[in-house]
Amino acid sequence: MNMMTRLFAGAAALGFAVSAHAQDIVVKGEQVHTMAGPMIANGVVVIDDGTIVAVGPAASTPVPEGFRVIEAKVVTPGLVDARTVVGLAGYLNQAQDQDQLDESAPVQPQLRAIDAYNPQEVLVEWLRGFGITTIHTGHGPGALVSGQTMVAKTAGLTADDAVIRGEAMVAANLGPWALTDGSKSPGTRAKQIALLRTALLAAQAEDEDSEDKKGKSKPPSLETRVMRAVLAGERPLLVTAHRSQDIMSALRLKEEFGIDLVLDGASEAYLLTDAIREAGVNVILHPPMMRQYGELENASFTTGAVLREAGIPFAYQSGYEGYVPKTRVVLWEAAIAAANGLEWNEALAAITIDAARILGVEDRVGSLEVGKDGDVALFDGDPFEYTSHAVGVVIDGEVVSDTPQ
């Protein structure tokens, strides 16, 4: 079955995937990678009412009567895509399903992903079929500050059903990702930083309640409220920056305003490992297989291994593609990293527990541990092997996919 056929088949199957409720399930695997400890040979994961209640060897972990049992060769936590535009950008690549960018102004932090997210978009189901159960999605490149991101499950009838964090980060972009053709601002890198500083300084200076010209109290604008949340450390500033000069500009912003910064893309991060580590910044790294031209001409398959060696927390993402089907698959991206310097467990961590930590949702997803959400991916072999398939996906204790991908 080719990719586009899967997309259309997924659309037909979507009603089943989002309409069911949590079940009592036991997942058995010849290998269970919990990402909270060593791999468990012949392990089980017990899920009761959507929550993991037991994880351990089959020989010593009781299987409750009446629970549905599903089996696979390899079991992992549900995969986490640390940065995407899926749910805002649709697979048709036409105006009616492209909500990831509003070009009416260069700085629009008040735009919320949750207000544009479509959980029934075919691409959401498509990613889910490969074991991806959590996505960090939102407004993409093209504007200096394009909007706010959200963290969601890849199941649910509505955005409110799917959401984990409705206001996760504020997405900013440096370099050509947010430069205009000169007819409007910003037209240069210096102007990009000047506009970002202006927005942060304005939020810093404005009182909670200012006065209009008639002396009447007026509340702060939505834009100001969001930038205040960034200044207060309540919401990280997610900065897409690939060139080393743009990465350094982002680090200077962090130092000047004391904000929580997350680097996105960061193709040339390997040139600045000391500066990034000293700044205490997390990195959502570009997909290893992303086309290496333009801003990404110096990207490398081995950057993940370099960041790991330097002690810099990072995760992989699917990013944004301007062509159909508008997304990559982090499972495949991590597989390339595992063949280029990362240990197998490190590559899996970059799309499970490490991604969950960077997104601030590690208390719910990213590993198979008692008390966490019942999100599980099942494979018929090594997940990073091209010949393996995702043969089952469980989200919140519900089997949402059991068709091999």
Side-chain angles (χ1 to χ4, degrees):
M1 183 183 294
N2 64 37
M3 182 171 61
M4 295 308 294
T5 302
R6 286 178 182 169
L7 290 174
F8 285 108
L14 187 59
F16 159 76
V18 299
S19 63
H21 302 283
Q23 299 173 343
D24 296 331
I25 293 177
V26 173
V27 180
K28 291 185 176 182
E30 294 179 16
Q31 296 180 10
V32 176
H33 297 272
T34 68
M35 306 314 294
M39 183 272 292
I40 302 173
N42 296 317
V44 298
V45 181
V46 182
I47 303 171
D48 187 354
D49 194 27
T51 301
I52 298 173
V53 295
V55 182
S60 58
T61 305
V63 175
E65 291 185 10
F67 277 45
R68 177 182 177 183
V69 178
I70 55 177
E71 302 183 27
K73 286 189 175 182
V74 179
V75 172
T76 74
L79 307 183
V80 180
D81 186 337
R83 178 69 168 115
T84 183
V85 292
V86 166
L88 279 75
Y91 84 102
L92 289 174
N93 204 28
Q94 297 178 6
Q96 71 267 20
D97 71 347
Q98 301 300 297
D99 277 331
Q100 75 277 7
L101 178 64
D102 187 307
E103 298 180 292
S104 60
V107 178
Q108 300 189 83
Q110 67 273 26
L111 304 183
R112 302 190 308 175
I114 193 171
D115 296 322
Y117 182 69
N118 177 13
Q120 299 183 59
E121 164 55 41
V122 174
L123 286 179
V124 175
E125 190 274 341
W126 189 61
L127 291 184
R128 182 173 65 232
F130 291 102
I132 298 161
T133 59
T134 299
I135 57 175
H136 176 219
T137 190
H139 294 85
L144 183 59
V145 181
S146 55
Q148 298 175 64
T149 63
M150 65 183 288
V151 181
K153 297 290 185 73
T154 54
L157 184 61
T158 68
D160 293 323
D161 294 334
V163 68
I164 299 177
R165 295 185 64 187
E167 297 173 338
M169 301 186 191
V170 175
N173 305 276
L174 296 179
W177 301 92
L179 289 175
T180 67
D181 59 6
S183 61
K184 56 183 180 179
S185 186
T188 65
R189 281 178 159 89
K191 188 60 176 285
Q192 288 179 336
I193 297 301
L195 287 176
L196 278 175
R197 294 184 69 244
T198 296
L200 289 165
L201 286 169
Q204 204 172 54
E206 189 174 330
D207 293 331
E208 183 63 34
D209 289 304
S210 59
E211 293 184 351
D212 60 19
K213 293 181 179 180
K214 296 181 179 180
K216 293 184 178 181
S217 177
K218 66 174 184 179
S221 66
L222 284 177
E223 177 181 327
T224 297
R225 291 178 185 179
V226 175
M227 297 310 284
R228 276 191 186 157
V230 171
L231 289 168
E234 298 169 1
R235 217 159 298 160
L237 186 66
L238 176 71
V239 177
T240 300
H242 287 278
R243 296 288 191 185
S244 58
Q245 67 189 106
D246 294 323
I247 294 172
M248 285 306 304
S249 293
L251 295 181
R252 283 192 292 272
L253 275 178
K254 173 180 172 58
E255 182 177 6
E256 179 179 358
F257 293 97
I259 59 178
D260 186 2
L261 174 72
V262 176
L263 287 173
D264 173 49
S267 296
E268 297 181 7
Y270 57 85
L271 299 174
L272 301 168
T273 53
D274 289 343
I276 294 171
R277 182 179 58 249
E278 289 169 9
V281 170
N282 295 329
V283 177
I284 300 177
L285 194 59
H286 67 88
M289 292 189 290
M290 199 168 183
R291 295 181 180 184
Q292 296 178 3
Y293 70 96
E295 291 293 280
L296 284 89
E297 65 181 349
N298 296 320
S300 170
F301 289 164
T302 64
T303 302
V306 173
L307 296 184
R308 179 68 70 205
E309 180 67 23
I312 298 171
F314 78 97
Y316 282 115
Q317 60 170 304
S318 62
Y320 166 78
E321 298 294 345
Y323 49 83
V324 172
K326 308 295 287 189
T327 185
R328 295 175 178 271
V329 178
V330 289
L331 174 64
W332 304 337
E333 303 298 333
I336 292 296
N340 287 275
L342 275 185
E343 297 291 336
W344 194 94
N345 281 341
E346 293 173 339
L348 184 58
I351 55 172
T352 54
I353 188 59
D354 289 350
R357 289 187 182 121
I358 289 174
L359 301 181
V361 293
E362 72 276 16
D363 60 326
R364 291 188 57 180
V365 302
S367 62
L368 301 175
E369 298 181 77
V370 173
K372 288 195 174 184
D373 295 356
D375 296 356
V376 187
L378 297 86
F379 301 89
D380 60 6
D382 184 339
F384 294 155
E385 289 290 343
Y386 180 75
T387 54
S388 296
H389 306 84
V391 294
V393 182
V394 179
I395 297 180
D396 292 327
E398 175 57 40
V399 178
V400 294
S401 175
D402 57 6
T403 301
Q405 297 292 307

